Amino acid sequence: MKYFNKSVFYFIVNVAILLIVLTKTLFAWSSGPPAYRTGAPGDEGTCSADGCHNSFPPDSGSAKFSISGPSAYTPGKAVKIGVSFSDSGGKLHGFEMTAVDADGNRVGKFKNIGSTTRVISPNDPARGLEKKDKGKYIEHTIKGSKKKSWKVKWTSPASASGTITFYAAGNEADGGGTNSGDYIYTTTLEIAAESSASGQ
Ligand code: HEM
């Protein structure tokens, strides 16, 4: 009986530890930040909010952080968008991105290419994305935090028109496993609609 109680006790302790580790990993921000942190109009700021990565002023680091893409998009068609750090001394890197039309609406649908990025899901309790913004935010994953550049797909709505602005916030992190000692960057890229780009 005494041996049985001890083993049950150890079993319960082990399960509890496992659950704590799993929860911490699942909800760790290093595995991808909360939604609405790209610096876009209407977002809740960036990664450098109070209590987050605010060791240094945004864009005070020496790395280069940029978004790349085609000069124009065709409504309803997918384009490839790149996000990258260069000249960075960071141990880990991360980002979050969204796309906004000329009226300030978040538009289009992102798609990850491979497992280094993830489209934030409204069903993800840790990231607080509203259902209406499904598909409109993409970010790094834990695997992706080991990279300095990422390629994703973005499909504009068939009704899209005018210039679309991509907003991204990025983290050049020291790999310390905390939210301190990391440099935060912001950047944008404008892509015109095909017709206006070709002057027709
Ligand atoms: C787009 C914005 C953000 C990006 C790209 C980002 C990226 C990262 C990265 C790469 C790490 C690992 C840092 C390291 O090990 O040195 C990290 C950790 C962390 N981040 Fe962020 N982050 C963002 C926003 C936020 C926000 C808004 C908060 C606060 C609500 C936050 C809280 C934390 C915390 C507490 C950690 C350390 C522990 C953990 O992994 O949970 N982050 N983040």
Side-chain angles (χ1 to χ4, degrees):
M1 190 59 183
K2 205 155 144 251
Y3 168 75
F4 179 74
N5 290 345
K6 249 195 189 162
S7 56
V8 170
F9 171 73
Y10 287 131
F11 174 73
I12 292 168
V13 168
N14 285 336
V15 169
I17 292 169
L18 187 67
L19 282 176
I20 291 165
V21 171
L22 275 178
T23 310
K24 262 188 81 52
T25 311
L26 190 61
F27 293 110
W29 296 132
S30 50
S31 67
Y36 308 112
R37 300 295 177 140
T38 66
D43 262 18
E44 295 157 24
T46 70
C47 331
S48 64
D50 289 352
C52 307
H53 303 275
N54 56 356
S55 303
F56 310 109
D59 297 306
S60 62
S62 57
K64 292 190 187 58
F65 178 59
S66 61
I67 305 173
S68 56
S71 57
Y73 69 92
T74 305
K77 289 246 168 56
V79 293
K80 277 201 179 153
I81 304 286
V83 180
S84 63
F85 277 96
S86 53
D87 303 338
S88 168
K91 294 261 181 342
L92 295 176
H93 296 79
F95 79 99
E96 188 178 308
M97 179 164 61
T98 193
V100 179
D101 69 12
D103 302 324
N105 308 309
R106 297 168 185 100
V107 288
K109 293 264 181 253
F110 284 101
K111 195 165 178 342
N112 56 299
I113 302 173
S115 53
T116 60
T117 60
R118 144 193 337 104
V119 178
I120 302 180
S121 160
N123 307 327
D124 180 340
R127 295 188 166 78
L129 186 78
E130 293 171 42
K131 279 206 170 24
K132 66 178 176 58
D133 291 322
K134 186 176 181 191
K136 297 178 180 164
Y137 282 80
I138 192 156
E139 62 182 13
H140 70 275
T141 57
I142 281 240
K143 186 176 170 191
S145 68
K146 315 255 172 349
K147 298 194 54 173
K148 288 183 181 175
S149 63
W150 307 268
K151 271 252 182 286
V152 303
K153 274 191 185 164
W154 177 78
T155 304
S156 54
S159 59
S161 64
T163 298
I164 302 290
T165 306
F166 291 79
Y167 290 82
N171 185 347
E172 177 194 26
D174 63 2
T178 73
N179 54 353
S180 65
D182 309 328
Y183 284 94
I184 300 305
Y185 299 77
T186 56
T187 191
T188 61
L189 175 75
E190 291 191 350
I191 299 186
E194 190 69 10
S195 56
S196 60
S198 50
Q200 284 155 31

